[in-house]
Amino acid sequence: TLKERVTMLTLTRKTDQSIIIAPAVDLDPEMTVAELFGQSHIEIRFNKIRQGVASVSIQAPKSLDLIRSELVK
């Protein structure tokens, strides 16, 4: 099912904050783009934008990591 193939992250972002979408750390580096995405895609939804803060939901294949950029610095 789709639920088994994708992951979802919902969070808020302020001005100049970002989200990193990258191949999962344990992913085979020889994997093709077609294999990476399988039968899925990346969907980014802006749920609410108010006073410089956006509520964002990202749905992506489990082969991708969704990371708040401040966690990798």
Side-chain angles (χ1 to χ4, degrees):
T1 67
L2 180 62
K3 224 176 200 181
E4 295 169 340
R5 295 190 314 258
V6 298
T7 187
M8 179 176 271
L9 173 69
T10 300
L11 66 155
T12 57
R13 298 283 79 192
K14 296 178 183 174
T15 302
D16 294 326
Q17 290 183 321
S18 62
I19 302 163
I20 296 171
I21 301 173
V25 177
D26 60 347
L27 201 65
D28 177 2
E30 300 296 319
M31 182 177 277
T32 66
V33 173
E35 293 170 326
L36 180 66
F37 283 89
Q39 296 179 359
S40 192
H41 58 276
I42 298 172
E43 179 180 333
I44 301 172
R45 176 171 290 153
F46 293 87
N47 304 312
K48 188 182 342 176
I49 301 173
R50 197 176 290 157
Q51 299 176 347
V53 178
S55 172
V56 182
S57 294
I58 302 171
Q59 182 174 309
K62 286 189 176 184
S63 56
L64 297 174
D65 286 336
L66 309 174
I67 309 163
R68 297 188 334 241
S69 60
E70 63 269 20
L71 297 179
V72 295
K73 292 181 179 179

